[in-house]
């Protein structure tokens, strides 16, 4: 599976965290992986079923991102003038969280790649102006780093 496909899974897994907060993370992951084929009707947004090795990678990565979430949210809040995290769309907030993690905690992903991939995810899953919003916030975050 490509990095882009893994990133899409990660986006969906992070997004799911917003809506199933009463379940344990293990339950959320089980729900996610068990229902992959039923989650998206749009063929352009379907993703491949991950192998067990890829599931392990995604699960570990999700744990790392969730551990850093308070720091990630604080950094995003500091540069998003006029936008609180709660006011942002869930997809945009999730894309920003994933991209910030990649920019600051994942040494294998160059900052430019993290930003570009985030913009592409925002175009694919967000609303009409999502990609510009995400790009602007991430550019500020990259500038401050």
């Amino acid at each position: 599976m490509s990095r882009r496909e893994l990133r899409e899974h990660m986006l969906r897994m992070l997004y799911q965290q917003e809506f199933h907060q009463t379940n344990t993370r293990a339950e959320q992951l089980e729900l996610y992986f068990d229902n992959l084929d039923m989650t998206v009707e749009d063929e352009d947004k379907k993703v491949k079923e991950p192998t067990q090795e890829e599931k392990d990678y995604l699960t570990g990565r999700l744990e790392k991102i969730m551990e850093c979430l308070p720091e990630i949210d604080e950094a995003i809040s500091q540069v998003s003038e006029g936008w609180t995290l709660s006011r942002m769309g869930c997809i945009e907030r999730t894309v920003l969280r994933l991209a910030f993690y990649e920019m600051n905690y994942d040494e294998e992903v160059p900052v430019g790649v993290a930003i570009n991939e985030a913009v592409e995810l925002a175009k694919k899953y967000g609303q009409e102006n999502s990609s510009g919003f995400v790009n602007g916030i991430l550019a500020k975050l990259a500038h401050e780093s």
Side-chain angles (χ1 to χ4, degrees):
M1 182 173 295
S2 72
R3 282 184 170 267
R4 179 167 280 181
E5 291 167 321
L6 289 169
R7 190 174 281 111
E8 282 193 52
H9 278 293
M10 186 55 50
L11 174 70
R12 291 167 179 228
M13 292 166 73
L14 283 168
Y15 183 83
Q16 180 178 322
Q17 300 295 308
E18 297 275 332
F19 300 102
H20 297 282
Q21 295 176 358
T22 57
N23 296 8
T24 66
R25 191 146 310 120
E27 290 170 331
Q28 290 177 13
L29 290 169
E30 184 177 341
L31 279 171
Y32 178 78
F33 291 124
D34 286 349
N35 295 305
L36 270 177
D37 58 341
M38 299 180 352
T39 56
V40 178
E41 295 174 16
D42 184 347
E43 285 297 320
D44 291 338
K45 294 181 182 174
K46 290 208 182 249
V47 292
K48 293 180 189 173
E49 176 83 27
T51 64
Q52 186 58 50
E53 183 179 330
E54 291 164 339
K55 287 179 182 179
D56 294 343
Y57 168 81
L58 289 164
T59 299
R61 191 166 179 87
L62 178 66
E63 290 299 326
K64 290 177 187 173
I65 293 171
M66 295 307 292
E67 287 172 16
C68 300
L69 202 56
E71 297 161 36
I72 293 169
D73 285 352
E74 178 61 29
I76 293 169
S77 294
Q78 299 239 337
V79 300
S80 57
E81 299 166 16
W83 287 89
T84 61
L85 284 170
S86 62
R87 187 169 167 232
M88 292 177 194
C90 191
I91 282 290
E92 292 78 8
R93 182 174 54 244
T94 304
V95 168
L96 288 168
R97 287 170 168 169
L98 176 57
F100 184 84
Y101 177 83
E102 289 184 341
M103 292 166 59
N104 292 278
Y105 297 96
D106 188 337
E107 295 176 8
E108 294 180 19
V109 180
V111 170
V113 171
I115 293 172
N116 183 62
E117 290 293 320
V119 169
E120 292 303 316
L121 287 170
K123 285 179 186 176
K124 186 171 183 176
Y125 292 100
Q127 301 200 13
E128 186 176 330
N129 297 324
S130 295
S131 60
F133 176 76
V134 165
N135 190 45
I137 298 293
L138 293 176
K140 288 180 183 179
L141 287 167
H143 181 70
E144 290 195 2
S145 296

